[in-house]
Amino acid sequence: MSELLKKSEMSEEDIKLRYITPAIECKWDKHNQMRMEQSFTDGRVIVRGNITARGKRKKADYILYYKRNLPLAIVEAKDNKHSVGAGMQQGIEYAEILDIPFVYSSNGDAFLERDMKNGIEREIALADFPTPDELWKRYIGEREITPEQEKLITEPYYFQIGDKTPRYYQRVAINRAVGAVARGQNRILLVMATGTGKTYTAFQIIHRLWKSGAKKKTLFLADRNILVDQTMQQDFKPFEKIMTKISGKKLDSSFELYLALYQQLAGDDGDEPFREFKPEFFDLIIIDECHRGSAREESRWRKILEYFNGATQIGMTATPKATKEVSNIDYFGMPIYTYSLKQGIDDGFLAPYKVIRVGIDKDLEGWRPPVGKVDMYGNEIEDREYNIKDYDRNLIIDDRTKTVAKRISDFLRNTHRFDKTIVFCVDIDHAERMRQALVNENADLAAENSKYVMQITGDNDVGKAQLDYFIDEESKYPVIVTTSKLMTTGVDCKTCKLIVLDNNINSMTEFKQIIGRGTRLKPEYFIDDERHTKEYFTIMDFRDACRLFADPDFDGDPIPPDPDDGEGDDGEAPDTPPTPNPPLPPDGDGDKPPKPRIKYRVNDVEVTIINERVQYYDKDGKLITESVTDYSKKNILGGYATLDVFLRDWNASGRKLAIIDELKECGVLLEALREAAGNRDIDDFDLICHIAFDKKPLTKAERVANVRKRDYLNRYEGIARDVLSALLDKYAASGLTDLEKIDVLKIDPFRKIATARTIVNVFGGKEKYIEAIRELQNQIYAEAA
């Protein structure tokens, strides 16, 4: 770079290269302590129609680490046209997300420093940037960290070559938990959305506390056998030599890490296996999915926790409870860290959802039997109006079951018939009837393989044996499973793409857990060598359960209950059902069936789907109902109020794809609009003007023809003319994407014309080539001037 170039004329990258990076590198180890241009999110998945795209990743200019698991400072850079502190606001936002204690902003003249602990900002010279030891001494001094605590919090996380490393939110959760233990806190709560790696986070917490010598004997409690087995085989595998699963009543005290089902360990009064251990045996207890009753005074979890009262106890959950009767907040205290579903989706680590809300006439209008009507079993049906809360609980309408099964099957026929699907039903009896209806709707595939549709409920051993195969992303079968309560939690099926709600959900905890079955991303997987993708999932709702998305508690922080609030554990008043005739299977998958009740069943009542509404997850976490076209128009007009404003920015932009990228961040996916318009040849520019400003669109071919009619190409000759002509053809085929990339010169037909270097030199160098491309774009959009 020429020494004559003034600092004010330099780009941000130049400022970093010449001033900021050298100032940091002379104090910090650039190989082990500095990370430049570090992305810490994946960019949210945006869904419109059946089209998906990734939003921008959050990226810090510099993150500086004291140790591998301890980031100390973040530095945001600006060019010299900006003030020293111009990057501070961005830096503070990132520091709050990443739990980083010091923030710096620079424009190449100096640094502005902010201490996040005390909020004080000060300007320092480039040469005075602090060393790692100087910052660390300030950090531990401000927080009054003792040498013993320092030893514990600086213990690195577990890592072997080829292993994954913690994502930023996992690192924050791990560090906060270890820090809380270091400070002597013995009851700790972590809230992390389903699919964000709670078990992996637990493993890293256990390993750091074990490796440091702070906690030697650990108990990991879960409520499902599959959770324990998955944990041992996957995240906890590095512990295999010191780890055991407690089974039976004989307990071996020679291991250091114990995994157990709370049901098995708790036993019954008078036969409680956990008492085989001394109360002081465990130093640390991790309670997975601790929302599942662990805070009930009468629960078997609580009995275990109180027996080992001296151990540090860490509860982990996606859905902290806070009602009058149950509150794990009362037991563990408020969460020391929360990573919500909304955060996970916004960061691009979790799959967003599309909701199809289906309205059935008898659900919306209710049904009243004619006087004296009897059901299939000869029982006279009680004369009252039945509604959605009654169906499959007190009254079975066979045609309703068939209608739901047909809608599910039609959806899969229009997407992919081997997309993994979970259908949540009212009870076991409903799950069995739904299985039959789905088999009949998919008789061709069910005949090929009887496991295409399976019932997986607590009473069905054959179905339960197929659960591992359903979860296995390489296993083709089962494809559709019907269930009641068994699969609401602990089922880690990354490839589940359709969740069907045909049960009455009044518990926010249960709703969150069910939605969590679909939130895992799997951008690429193969079944029978066929490539599949899962970047979002669909919720098909037949019972208006998705109304709970609008509840502030859906993604909010847990709030301690009002002592005067009469809400029960699931927000639904208990009922005492009457005796059935004929006998029916128990309701639910729990250990103790409720009292039986009569279920009337009719097979001569017709039902019809009378409306459907499709909703999308929007950037603010809300569900939007607008069509792709209406939504896009509103968001385009939000950025460009008039056609003149849009034309001015479009024609002034050196990179027109930057405008398209900005619209994408607002949820405007041009491919989805093009699909809705039914014309794939419309240029991006014309599509935007047509949708937002009602302008008649031109196709890419028409725009190319207009350029060729003018005298533009005759300004050039030889290689330059051939290249520009080929670029026009490339634009006609694929739009602006390739036109703005210089790498396009390395592929056909350009490499047949000349080498990329020769082509650039023909135009007079890289800058001149870029100018020629911008002029070509101006010619393409000449009518837009």
Side-chain angles (χ1 to χ4, degrees):
M1 181 180 295
S2 171
E3 292 298 332
L4 298 177
L5 187 63
K6 296 178 181 178
K7 187 185 283 190
S8 61
E9 296 173 343
M10 294 180 185
S11 69
E12 181 180 308
E13 291 304 311
D14 293 332
I15 291 293
K16 288 194 287 189
L17 179 65
R18 292 169 65 90
Y19 297 100
I20 300 175
T21 299
I24 299 172
E25 277 187 353
C26 69
K27 303 288 182 69
W28 296 68
D29 182 340
K30 67 179 180 180
H31 299 294
N32 298 311
Q33 294 183 306
M34 285 179 63
R35 296 289 183 273
M36 297 176 62
E37 298 294 317
Q38 185 173 7
S39 297
F40 54 90
T41 71
D42 279 357
R44 72 185 180 99
V45 178
I46 305 163
V47 183
R48 292 294 176 268
N50 295 316
I51 304 296
T52 62
R54 283 277 187 176
K56 292 180 182 176
R57 295 182 172 192
K58 287 187 172 71
K59 182 171 64 176
D61 288 331
Y62 304 80
I63 298 180
L64 307 179
Y65 293 82
Y66 181 66
K67 300 286 186 183
R68 188 169 58 192
N69 58 309
L70 292 171
L72 257 188
I74 190 167
V75 183
E76 285 298 306
K78 295 293 180 183
D79 62 40
N80 202 249
K81 298 181 187 70
H82 291 82
S83 66
V84 172
M88 183 55 70
Q89 294 275 82
Q90 182 75 80
I92 291 172
E93 178 188 340
Y94 288 172
E96 289 174 341
I97 294 171
L98 297 172
D99 230 15
I100 292 179
F102 298 99
V103 182
Y104 295 86
S105 171
S106 179
N107 65 351
D109 289 339
F111 288 102
L112 181 66
E113 176 194 81
R114 182 184 178 92
D115 186 326
M116 296 293 287
K117 174 71 172 175
N118 57 37
I120 294 175
E121 295 186 2
R122 66 183 181 122
E123 191 170 308
I124 59 175
L126 291 178
D128 293 336
F129 194 81
T131 66
D133 287 338
E134 287 170 346
L135 270 192
W136 180 250
K137 286 177 182 176
R138 285 173 58 185
Y139 175 80
I140 63 176
E142 289 175 351
R143 289 156 183 79
E144 299 180 345
I145 295 172
T146 67
E148 293 77 16
Q149 293 170 346
E150 182 181 3
K151 179 178 182 296
L152 181 53
I153 64 177
T154 54
E155 180 68 42
Y157 56 72
Y158 175 86
F159 177 74
Q160 295 291 332
I161 299 298
D163 283 351
K164 61 186 177 182
T165 56
R167 291 171 171 166
Y168 85 83
Y169 62 85
Q170 294 169 337
R171 174 190 56 76
V172 174
I174 295 161
N175 285 351
R176 287 198 183 179
V178 172
V181 173
R183 293 190 301 273
Q185 187 173 330
N186 282 325
R187 299 293 179 267
I188 298 165
L189 181 63
L190 289 172
V191 178
M192 297 172 66
T194 301
T196 56
K198 289 192 297 295
T199 309
Y200 174 70
T201 301
F203 161 73
Q204 290 288 1
I205 292 169
I206 295 168
H207 191 273
R208 282 179 63 182
L209 294 175
W210 172 76
K211 191 73 174 175
S212 68
K215 306 291 179 183
K216 280 297 184 183
K217 295 282 189 178
T218 298
L219 172 64
F220 181 86
L221 280 173
D223 69 336
R224 296 281 171 86
N225 208 43
I226 189 171
L227 287 177
V228 174
D229 293 341
Q230 280 180 352
T231 298
M232 296 182 72
Q233 294 162 12
Q234 297 172 14
D235 289 323
F236 280 30
K237 190 170 178 58
F239 280 131
E240 58 186 343
K241 292 182 179 179
I242 62 166
M243 172 176 61
T244 187
K245 177 182 177 180
I246 298 175
S247 58
K249 298 179 181 178
K250 190 174 181 180
L251 306 179
D252 187 341
S253 61
S254 64
F255 291 91
E256 295 188 58
L257 174 58
Y258 297 78
L259 294 91
L261 293 175
Y262 82 85
Q263 301 97 320
Q264 183 273 328
L265 196 61
D268 299 309
D269 289 338
D271 182 19
E272 298 171 330
F274 67 86
R275 296 186 187 276
E276 293 295 313
F277 293 106
K278 292 181 179 180
E280 64 274 11
F281 183 80
F282 291 110
D283 304 310
L284 174 67
I285 300 177
I286 305 280
I287 307 96
D288 190 35
E289 304 292 359
C290 69
H291 65 278
R292 296 182 63 80
S294 64
R296 283 186 191 273
E297 291 293 336
E298 71 274 19
S299 82
R300 289 181 290 177
W301 291 73
R302 188 66 168 260
K303 188 166 53 177
I304 298 171
L305 300 185
E306 289 183 343
Y307 180 77
F308 297 111
N309 186 58
T312 298
Q313 297 173 5
I314 302 177
M316 305 189 76
T317 181
T319 50
K321 280 191 175 182
T323 68
K324 180 181 178 181
E325 297 179 3
V326 180
S327 179
N328 48 24
I329 297 168
D330 286 346
Y331 186 80
F332 291 104
M334 292 297 289
I336 62 168
Y337 184 62
T338 297
Y339 189 72
S340 67
L341 175 65
K342 180 180 181 298
Q343 287 172 284
I345 294 175
D346 288 348
D347 286 345
F349 297 129
L350 295 180
Y353 40 83
K354 179 167 69 173
V355 176
I356 302 175
R357 302 175 86 157
V358 184
I360 295 175
D361 58 350
K362 299 301 185 292
D363 296 359
L364 300 175
E365 301 164 4
W367 179 76
R368 184 173 182 177
V371 176
K373 181 172 179 59
V374 296
D375 73 355
M376 290 170 55
Y377 307 111
N379 300 303
E380 183 173 336
I381 302 174
E382 179 185 354
D383 181 18
R384 66 178 179 86
E385 185 170 293
Y386 293 83
N387 58 40
I388 198 169
K389 292 185 178 180
D390 294 301
Y391 302 142
D392 301 296
R393 184 177 178 88
N394 303 312
L395 172 70
I396 298 166
I397 301 177
D398 278 353
D399 196 49
R400 187 187 181 284
T401 308
K402 294 174 183 176
T403 299
V404 171
K406 183 177 186 305
R407 182 65 190 92
I408 296 168
S409 303
D410 286 345
F411 176 84
L412 291 174
R413 289 188 189 98
N414 290 326
T415 51
H416 198 292
R417 294 186 75 187
F418 284 89
D419 282 349
K420 294 291 179 92
T421 300
I422 307 176
V423 184
F424 288 94
C425 301
V426 169
D427 56 23
I428 290 174
D429 171 52
H430 184 205
E432 165 56 19
R433 288 184 289 100
M434 186 61 72
R435 183 200 66 81
Q436 294 173 23
L438 285 164
V439 166
N440 291 336
E441 282 292 330
N442 298 276
D444 55 337
L445 295 181
E448 287 180 14
N449 191 307
S450 61
K451 295 182 176 64
Y452 180 77
V453 184
M454 294 290 293
Q455 173 191 348
I456 301 182
T457 49
D459 70 328
N460 191 306
D461 291 337
V462 175
K464 283 194 292 184
Q466 293 298 314
L467 185 54
D468 284 349
Y469 295 102
F470 180 74
I471 291 170
D472 184 356
E473 62 197 53
E474 296 180 358
S475 176
K476 192 171 186 176
Y477 300 99
V479 176
I480 306 173
V481 299
T482 65
T483 189
S484 172
K485 302 290 185 186
L486 184 63
M487 297 176 70
T488 57
T489 186
V491 178
D492 185 7
C493 184
K494 294 182 176 68
T495 58
C496 178
K497 295 178 73 172
L498 177 62
I499 290 177
V500 179
L501 306 178
D502 196 25
N503 53 344
N504 298 312
I505 304 173
N506 293 296
S507 161
M508 184 63 75
T509 297
E510 182 182 8
F511 182 63
K512 284 185 178 182
Q513 288 293 325
I514 288 175
I515 298 307
R517 298 313 99 209
T519 55
R520 290 164 176 83
L521 280 165
K522 193 67 181 175
E524 182 175 79
Y525 62 99
F526 293 85
I527 298 178
D528 290 350
D529 295 325
E530 182 183 356
R531 181 180 179 274
H532 297 255
T533 63
K534 183 200 169 183
E535 295 183 307
Y536 70 97
F537 68 104
T538 302
I539 302 165
M540 186 174 289
D541 182 10
F542 291 92
R543 303 263 179 164
D544 197 29
C546 288
R547 71 189 186 283
L548 293 172
F549 279 125
D551 191 312
D553 289 342
F554 175 72
D555 206 54
D557 291 328
I559 301 171
D562 183 339
D564 296 325
D565 182 6
E567 183 185 18
D569 187 25
D570 63 358
E572 184 177 21
D575 61 354
T576 306
T579 303
N581 185 15
L584 294 168
D587 178 26
D589 297 340
D591 297 293
K592 296 179 180 179
K595 294 179 182 179
R597 59 173 176 268
I598 285 182
K599 275 189 184 179
Y600 303 110
R601 182 171 180 177
V602 294
N603 59 1
D604 56 355
V605 175
E606 292 186 1
V607 305
T608 304
I609 292 175
I610 58 176
N611 64 54
E612 287 191 8
R613 186 163 39 130
V614 179
Q615 297 179 299
Y616 297 93
Y617 182 93
D618 198 16
K619 61 182 182 297
D620 61 359
K622 306 297 183 185
L623 285 174
I624 57 166
T625 309
E626 296 152 307
S627 69
V628 171
T629 302
D630 291 343
Y631 176 85
S632 299
K633 180 174 182 177
K634 183 178 76 175
N635 280 275
I636 293 169
L637 292 174
Y640 306 97
T642 67
L643 177 60
D644 288 341
V645 172
F646 176 70
L647 293 179
R648 182 196 66 206
D649 285 9
W650 181 267
N651 289 315
S653 174
R655 284 194 66 250
K656 305 195 187 303
L657 288 178
I659 291 178
I660 294 169
D661 287 342
E662 287 176 6
L663 290 175
K664 182 174 70 174
E665 287 297 311
C666 297
V668 178
L669 301 189
L670 297 185
E671 279 305 305
L673 276 176
R674 200 170 275 113
E675 188 177 80
N679 187 340
R680 303 201 63 79
D681 293 327
I682 300 177
D683 176 84
D684 289 345
F685 168 84
D686 289 279
L687 190 60
I688 294 168
C689 291
H690 175 61
I691 294 298
F693 308 110
D694 299 319
K695 297 285 289 183
K696 184 180 182 299
L698 295 178
T699 65
K700 294 191 288 289
E702 287 171 329
R703 288 199 170 276
V704 168
N706 288 339
V707 174
R708 293 191 185 280
K709 286 176 188 176
R710 293 191 291 270
D711 213 20
Y712 170 68
L713 288 181
N714 289 332
R715 301 179 196 174
Y716 298 86
E717 59 184 23
I719 289 175
R721 180 185 172 118
D722 291 344
V723 167
L724 292 175
S725 180
L727 283 170
L728 281 175
D729 292 337
K730 199 74 176 170
Y731 161 77
S734 56
L736 285 172
T737 303
D738 290 331
L739 204 63
E740 293 190 354
K741 296 178 180 176
I742 200 166
D743 285 349
V744 75
L745 299 178
K746 297 177 181 179
I747 62 175
D748 287 339
F750 304 98
R751 62 183 177 185
K752 292 180 180 178
I753 299 172
T755 65
R757 177 176 292 181
T758 298
I759 292 171
V760 169
N761 288 337
V762 163
F763 282 91
K766 184 177 178 181
E767 292 301 321
K768 294 292 185 181
Y769 171 78
I770 292 172
E771 285 180 18
I773 298 306
R774 288 175 179 167
E775 175 58 26
L776 181 63
Q777 289 179 337
N778 291 338
Q779 290 294 322
I780 289 171
Y781 299 108
E783 293 84 357

